[in-house]
Amino acid sequence: MKIKVVNKGRQPLPQYATPQSAGMDLRAQLDEPVTLRPLERRLIPTGLFIALPKGYEAQVRPRSGLALKHGITVLNAPGTIDADYRGEVGVLLVNLSDTPFVVNDGERIAQMVIARHEQGEWMPVEELDDTERGTGGYGHTGVK
């Protein structure tokens, strides 16, 4: 699939690291380093503007290494970029650790996955069909 992109930053376009990678790394586009204090959140620019085909979204997800090693994650994971959005792709990072973390220009801060989606249409009914699970919610199957 071809995706139109405008790169207003200095960083290379996102790329897949391996032939079977689902996500492409997004890089910070910063004029100076940004320090995230513990529990602080910041919108980090990427310099990228995209136009996705109708029926697709881009999901912005955390990088596992940043999460494991530094407690840095994407706050609204996965963040959704809709096909009709034309603004800059930003990454909402949060520092869940107890130490400050510095985000540097060009640093890989998140990954982006392109995914197909459907739009649902509500169909009002008086009741829903029965299933084996029924109304069992969070934790209904217990711990085994």
Side-chain angles (χ1 to χ4, degrees):
M1 155 192 348
K2 302 284 186 188
I3 300 171
K4 294 178 182 176
V5 60
V6 173
N7 186 357
K8 292 187 178 180
R10 299 172 299 279
Q11 311 310 327
L13 290 176
Q15 295 181 351
Y16 295 102
T18 69
Q20 295 186 40
S21 294
M24 299 176 266
D25 286 332
L26 293 174
R27 295 177 181 271
Q29 175 62 44
L30 300 169
D31 293 328
E32 58 188 39
V34 170
T35 299
L36 285 172
R37 296 182 316 265
L39 300 180
E40 184 179 12
R41 62 189 179 272
R42 293 281 291 272
L43 185 61
I44 306 296
T46 65
L48 300 174
F49 298 74
I50 62 175
L52 295 165
K54 182 179 178 183
Y56 287 85
E57 66 165 325
Q59 299 173 358
V60 178
R61 301 179 181 187
R63 292 193 67 242
S64 57
L66 283 180
L68 176 65
K69 296 173 187 171
H70 304 286
I72 303 301
T73 191
V74 175
L75 189 56
N76 61 329
T80 294
I81 300 168
D82 295 310
D84 57 354
Y85 177 66
R86 295 297 181 266
E88 183 175 9
V89 173
V91 178
L92 183 55
L93 288 183
V94 64
N95 182 353
L96 298 179
S97 77
D98 58 358
T99 57
F101 179 80
V102 177
V103 180
N104 292 297
D105 182 48
E107 187 166 356
R108 295 178 299 152
I109 56 171
Q111 57 181 330
M112 182 170 61
V113 173
I114 307 301
R116 182 184 298 272
H117 72 83
E118 299 286 335
Q119 283 190 333
E121 181 179 338
W122 295 114
M123 187 174 77
V125 296
E126 294 299 319
E127 61 184 50
L128 302 175
D129 57 312
D130 290 329
T131 66
E132 184 178 334
R133 179 176 179 171
T135 60
Y138 292 103
H140 81 282
T141 60
V143 178
K144 295 180 185 179

